[in-house]
């Protein structure tokens, strides 16, 4: 059984697991998926890409941000049978840029470890590590490169 | 030898201040404006870095070189630097103009001393002028000090640390290894975290760690009294001698030590003081820029979209903003700096979004007290706390956790040998059957939940954020508490 006491203006309730077994009858307001004030995910309601999505880490803002955006946009809007097959040059350009900054964009063999440790981007994890680069995937562990030949 | 390279005369995006809010804004601007050229001007020598590890993780590192590497272990186990990005992320200010794809440049060791809003330009302390299209003020603040310490003279001041920056962390680390006794004045987040960090060290080094503050318990302005008292006992178990209801009357230097006299007659002798008594928001540019300063909360007054005037936004500790759900406020937490910096960056690149995604904050005080919080968490508000009842099967958390057992018994031994002048007033007979191991605390204003603390329960922030966002009156908060599954891990 739960027990409850008052400490001045503060109320204290102790509850057992059984006390909290029955589903809550508290009412929450239904969320509007198109609420313009809310944080957006990777894909915007109009189908475009949200470059400011925390899930992208620093990819769109760093020194290779322009190349990243061009490659990823090309892939995203590609209507080819093999999606993104016309974007090879842009991906190459992006990779060439990233190779110049190994500190920011660890190379292929490091990615195995990095992707395991990337923080989930859906906000379900604690935001204690929140930083523009840590609540998402940090540039020290970038998300796996989008490879147009696999999908 | 060619001509000296010039700093840019114009920055499309000028960010004043090089901390968390500024960096978050830079990221946001670069993501949204292709090829954006962003110039950060900071009076600090460092690139932008995270502040929380300076009073938390860095103190618990096993690496003896931590004061140089400034690396720490994250929540997810992976190590990282406190710097948001390594130097290669940035471009040099001199290269900003010619950067084909733009970039973020940081100009260190320069202070903006004058802002000409009509002319859309600023002047630095070396008389350099830089014009801008969009400007962010993210100047944070400087630690407050007790007036009576400031007036106590050089010998006292040089034995006093005001803690905020990397250099303060390095300095306090060094001091803590070289003195026998350190006293922290202040019972809020920073003071309590530093006390616990130093308290943990004290077990190996024999360092005496004292913490004193005017409130009745640690986090007295944040936690309801019963929880503040409970927390204070936990802080003591971290090896800290806590003096509550302590008002400092004077501080003098005698025989190379500091003598702190309290108004109630207690006297504390110590080697070094850390003053953690709040932050003074930096509004130095208000006068020249003609910007409004808020008289209730301090800081620059901005609207819900964080704008002060045309082309000028403010984010982070220095921003007193209108929160459309919770009202006008000013927030001094890390996640708020990230959220507000990001939002300012969005609005500087054409969005017009109000502050809506509620930021959160957290604190850990030893192995038994870890909490996350959101919204307005002010102990003067009525609260409803729902805690998991310890069953007959549960053993007291403190006894089963880690190697804390050994530490606790050591500090109990220390307590019996304490010097008479620093003795605690005996705590009122506590009803030890109330173990506030884990739960959720709701803060109410006019029957609406405006703040929530998740007490030793984690990964529930989204539901807490949702409840605050809804802003509904709930007849039974125990029903709301069910949504948090406090009995699960």
């Amino acid at each position: 059984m739960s027990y409850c006491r008052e400490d001045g203006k503060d109320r204290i309730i102790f509850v057992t697991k059984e006390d909290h077994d029955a589903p809550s009858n508290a009412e929450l307001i239904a969320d509007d998926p198109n609420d313009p004030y809310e944080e957006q995910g990777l894909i915007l309601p109009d189908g475009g890409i949200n470059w400011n999505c925390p899930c992208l880490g620093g990819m769109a803002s760093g020194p290779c941000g322009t190349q990243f955006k061009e490659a990823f946009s090309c892939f995203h809007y590609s209507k080819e049978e093999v999606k993104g097959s016309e974007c090879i040059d842009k991906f190459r350009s992006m990779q060439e840029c990233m190779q110049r900054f190994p500190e920011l964009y660890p190379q292929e063999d490091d990615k195995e470890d990095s992707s395991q440790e990337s923080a989930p981007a859906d906000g379900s994890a604690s935001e204690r590590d929140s930083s523009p680069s840590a609540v998402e995937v940090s540039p020290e562990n970038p998300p796996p490169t989008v490879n147009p030949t696999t999908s | 030898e060619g001509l000296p390279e010039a700093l840019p005369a114009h920055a499309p995006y000028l960010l004043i201040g090089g901390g968390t809010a500024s960096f978050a804004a830079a990221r946001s601007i670069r993501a949204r404006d292709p090829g954006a050229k962003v110039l950060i001007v900071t009076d600090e020598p460092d690139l932008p870095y995270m502040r929380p590890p300076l009073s938390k993780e860095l103190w618990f590192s096993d690496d003896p070189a931590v004061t140089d590497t400034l690396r720490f272990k994250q929540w997810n186990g992976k190590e990282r630097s406190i710097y948001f990005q390594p130097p290669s992320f940035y471009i040099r200010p001199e290269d900003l103009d010619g950067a084909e794809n733009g970039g973020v440049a940081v100009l260190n060791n320069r202070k903006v001393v004058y802002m000409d809003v009509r002319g859309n330009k600023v002047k630095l302390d070396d008389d350099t002028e830089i014009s801008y299209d969009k400007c962010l003020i993210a100047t944070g603040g400087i630690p407050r000090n007790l007036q009576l310490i400031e007036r106590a003279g050089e010998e006292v001041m040089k034995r006093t640390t005001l803690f905020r920056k990397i250099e303060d962390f390095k300095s306090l680390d060094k001091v803590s290894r070289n003195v026998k006794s350190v006293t922290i004045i202040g019972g809020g987040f920073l003071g309590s975290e530093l006390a616990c960090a130093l308290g943990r060290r004290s077990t190996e080094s024999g360092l005496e760690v004292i913490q004193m503050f005017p409130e009745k318990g640690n986090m007295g302005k944040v936690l309801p009294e019963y929880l503040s008292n409970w927390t204070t006992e936990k802080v003591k178990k971290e090896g800290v001698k806590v003096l509550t209801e302590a008002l400092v009357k004077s501080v003098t230097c005698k025989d190379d030590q500091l003598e702190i006299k309290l108004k109630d007659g207690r006297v504390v002798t110590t080697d070094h003081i850390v003053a953690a008594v709040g932050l003074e928001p930096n509004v130095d540019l208000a006068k020249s820029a003609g910007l409004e300063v808020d008289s209730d909360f301090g800081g620059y007054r901005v609207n819900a979209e964080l704008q002060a005037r045309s082309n000028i936004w403010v984010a982070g500790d220095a921003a007193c903003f209108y929160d459309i759900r919770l009202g006008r406020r000013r927030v001094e937490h890390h996640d708020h700096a990230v959220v507000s910096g990001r939002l300012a960056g969005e609005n500087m690149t054409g969005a017009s979004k109000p502050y809506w995604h509620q930021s959160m904050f957290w604190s850990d005080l030893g192995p038994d007290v870890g909490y996350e919080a959101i919204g307005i968490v002010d102990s003067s508000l009525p609260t409803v706390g729902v805690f998991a009842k310890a069953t007959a099967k549960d053993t007291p958390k403190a006894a089963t956790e880690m190697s804390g057992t050994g530490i606790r018994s050591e500090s109990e031994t220390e307590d019996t040998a304490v010097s008479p002048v620093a003795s605690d007033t005996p705590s009122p007979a506590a009803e030890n059957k109330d173990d506030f191991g884990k739960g959720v605390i709701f803060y109410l204003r006019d029957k609406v939940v405006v703040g929530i603390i998740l007490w030793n329960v984690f990964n529930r922030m989204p539901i807490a954020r949702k409840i605050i966002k809804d802003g509904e009156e709930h007849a039974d908060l125990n029903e709301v508490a069910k949504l948090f599954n406090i009995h699960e891990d």
Side-chain angles (χ1 to χ4, degrees):
Chain A
M1 277 302 291
S2 65
Y3 101 93
C4 175
R5 66 176 173 91
E6 312 283 325
D7 184 36
K9 61 167 175 68
D10 302 311
R11 191 144 185 258
I12 307 164
I13 306 171
F14 284 93
V15 292
T16 63
K17 197 168 193 305
E18 293 68 43
D19 290 328
H20 266 201
D21 257 345
S24 170
N25 63 25
E27 282 172 24
L28 299 176
I29 299 174
D31 279 331
D32 173 9
N34 292 320
D35 187 344
Y37 290 359
E38 288 293 337
E39 294 275 297
Q40 298 289 331
L42 180 60
I43 307 300
L44 298 167
D46 67 3
I49 300 170
N50 175 20
W51 298 115
N52 209 12
C53 178
C55 58
L56 289 178
M59 300 292 276
S61 61
C64 302
T66 304
Q67 290 85 343
F68 171 79
K69 286 184 199 176
E70 281 177 8
F72 199 67
S73 277
C74 179
F75 178 79
H76 178 67
Y77 290 108
S78 166
K79 301 258 184 300
E80 296 300 309
E81 206 179 303
V82 177
K83 192 167 165 68
S85 52
E86 78 277 35
C87 310
I88 304 283
D89 282 344
K90 297 198 157 73
F91 276 93
R92 187 174 301 126
S93 196
M94 180 184 86
Q95 264 160 352
E96 275 166 9
C97 179
M98 290 182 174
Q99 272 157 11
R100 293 187 351 239
F101 301 94
E103 217 185 359
L104 300 178
Y105 308 104
Q107 294 308 295
E108 214 36 66
D109 33 313
D110 295 342
K111 291 212 176 81
E112 236 65 0
D113 302 307
S114 320
S115 55
Q116 277 164 21
E117 279 141 340
S118 49
D122 61 357
S124 65
S126 159
E127 285 142 87
R128 286 157 170 260
D129 298 317
S130 98
S131 86
S133 54
V135 70
E136 327 96 28
V137 176
S138 104
E140 294 172 314
N141 341 293
T145 319
V146 178
N147 185 336
T149 60
T150 63
S151 51
Chain B
E1 44 157 65
L3 290 167
E5 286 177 299
L7 292 176
H10 177 79
Y13 297 97
L14 177 67
L15 311 186
I16 305 175
T20 302
S22 197
F23 182 78
R27 272 279 291 271
S28 202
I29 291 166
R30 287 279 300 158
R32 290 169 50 85
D33 180 357
K37 292 173 183 172
V38 181
L39 178 65
I40 292 175
V41 179
T42 171
D43 60 8
E44 285 193 61
D46 298 294
L47 293 172
Y49 59 90
M50 306 170 77
R51 206 174 298 290
L54 297 183
S55 62
K56 301 179 189 59
E57 290 92 337
L58 290 183
W59 291 92
F60 305 126
S61 170
D62 296 322
D63 183 1
V66 69
T67 48
D68 293 316
T69 65
L70 301 175
R71 292 184 72 82
F72 67 98
K73 211 171 239 184
Q74 291 177 98
W75 203 229
N76 61 11
K78 182 148 173 39
E79 224 194 48
R80 63 157 294 151
S81 165
I82 65 168
Y83 293 101
F84 290 113
Q85 291 288 0
S88 51
F89 176 87
Y90 304 95
I91 65 175
R92 298 183 323 145
E94 296 81 359
D95 298 333
L96 195 61
D97 275 342
E100 193 191 325
N101 294 323
V104 182
V106 180
L107 182 57
N108 288 101
N109 303 308
R110 298 286 221 292
K111 201 174 169 120
V112 174
V113 296
Y114 190 89
M115 195 161 177
D116 173 2
V117 170
R118 205 189 301 212
N120 290 309
K121 60 184 187 216
V122 302
K123 191 162 86 165
L124 309 186
D125 50 1
D126 65 355
D127 285 339
T128 309
E129 284 195 350
I130 304 177
S131 61
Y132 58 83
D133 295 325
K134 311 280 179 193
C135 182
L136 174 74
I137 299 176
T139 45
I142 59 166
R144 292 197 172 123
N145 197 353
L146 296 181
Q147 270 197 349
L148 45 87
I149 290 181
E150 278 176 338
R151 293 173 184 169
E154 167 92 47
E155 290 304 304
V156 169
M157 280 297 279
K158 75 179 196 207
R159 290 172 176 78
T160 301
T161 296
L162 299 175
F163 194 94
R164 175 126 172 119
K165 307 190 228 183
I166 289 175
E167 63 186 70
D168 304 320
F169 164 71
K170 292 185 177 187
S171 155
L172 184 59
D173 174 81
K174 193 166 166 202
V175 160
S176 71
R177 294 176 196 283
N178 292 317
V179 301
K180 299 213 169 59
S181 167
V182 66
T183 298
I184 294 124
I185 301 179
F189 293 102
L190 184 60
S192 305
E193 284 168 11
L194 288 174
C196 288
L198 291 168
R200 241 204 241 191
R201 276 210 181 169
S202 72
T203 59
E204 295 131 24
S205 60
L207 173 71
E208 177 189 53
V209 182
I210 302 165
Q211 188 189 4
M212 58 170 65
F213 43 80
E215 296 80 30
K216 288 183 183 170
N218 287 85
M219 314 304 309
K221 291 187 185 166
V222 173
L223 302 177
E225 197 172 320
Y226 66 91
L227 211 48
S228 169
N229 292 339
W230 192 84
T231 302
T232 307
E233 294 311 303
K234 296 297 181 186
V235 170
K236 288 177 182 170
K237 288 181 168 107
E238 287 302 293
V240 182
K241 293 190 180 130
V242 183
L243 306 185
T244 60
E245 298 180 280
L247 285 160
V248 179
K249 182 173 157 188
S250 71
V251 182
T252 46
C253 185
K254 275 182 184 165
D255 305 322
D256 209 26
Q257 284 198 295
L258 295 176
E259 191 181 79
I260 305 171
K261 282 191 180 152
L262 303 182
K263 288 191 178 165
D264 60 9
R266 285 179 284 180
V267 181
V268 170
T269 309
T270 192
D271 299 319
H272 197 92
I273 287 173
V274 180
V277 294
L279 187 79
E280 190 62 49
N282 181 339
V283 292
D284 289 350
L285 295 172
K287 193 154 177 220
S288 60
L291 296 176
E292 203 178 358
V293 171
D294 190 270
S295 44
D296 295 319
F297 300 102
Y300 295 100
R301 200 177 269 175
V302 295
N303 63 13
E305 288 79 18
L306 306 184
Q307 195 171 22
R309 287 182 62 176
S310 294
N311 303 322
I312 303 173
W313 288 260
V314 187
D317 293 351
C320 177
F321 65 102
Y322 184 63
D323 181 325
I324 57 186
R325 176 54 83 212
L326 299 177
R328 182 158 287 280
R329 51 202 291 239
R330 190 174 64 80
V331 180
E332 285 174 8
H333 294 299
H334 170 84
D335 189 51
H336 171 75
V338 174
V339 167
S340 63
R342 188 180 147 79
L343 177 66
E346 287 182 287
N347 290 341
M348 289 165 81
T349 48
S352 26
K353 287 168 59 175
Y355 189 93
W356 186 240
H357 176 91
Q358 230 10 275
S359 62
M360 54 83 75
F361 59 97
W362 75 95
S363 192
D364 292 317
L365 300 176
D368 294 332
V369 181
Y371 64 89
E372 297 178 344
I374 186 169
I376 297 177
V377 170
D378 180 334
S379 63
S380 68
L381 294 174
T383 68
V384 175
V386 182
F387 296 89
K389 192 174 179 185
T391 65
K393 285 190 301 235
D394 292 333
T395 48
K397 233 172 133 50
T400 54
E401 289 272 339
M402 314 166 2
S403 52
T405 334
I407 295 169
R408 191 178 57 197
S409 52
E410 247 179 275
S411 56
E412 275 166 4
T413 316
E414 251 183 80
D415 277 351
T416 58
V418 80
S419 84
V421 297
S423 60
D424 226 331
T425 47
S427 51
E431 286 178 281
N432 283 316
K433 69 180 164 102
D434 282 349
D435 182 37
F436 303 105
K438 51 182 183 163
V440 57
I441 303 114
F442 301 103
Y443 289 71
L444 299 159
R445 201 171 57 187
D446 302 326
K447 299 184 193 166
V448 171
V449 176
V450 293
I452 296 175
I453 288 189
L454 302 174
W455 189 257
N456 286 322
V457 295
F458 305 103
N459 298 320
R460 271 88 152 174
M461 195 45 70
I463 180 68
R465 180 171 286 115
K466 171 68 177 150
I467 289 162
I468 306 254
K469 181 175 94 158
D470 281 357
E472 296 281 285
E473 278 188 36
H474 291 277
D476 186 352
L477 284 168
N478 185 34
E479 290 298 318
V480 180
K482 281 184 184 174
L483 299 171
F484 290 88
N485 289 316
I486 60 177
H487 297 92
E488 311 293 319
D489 266 328

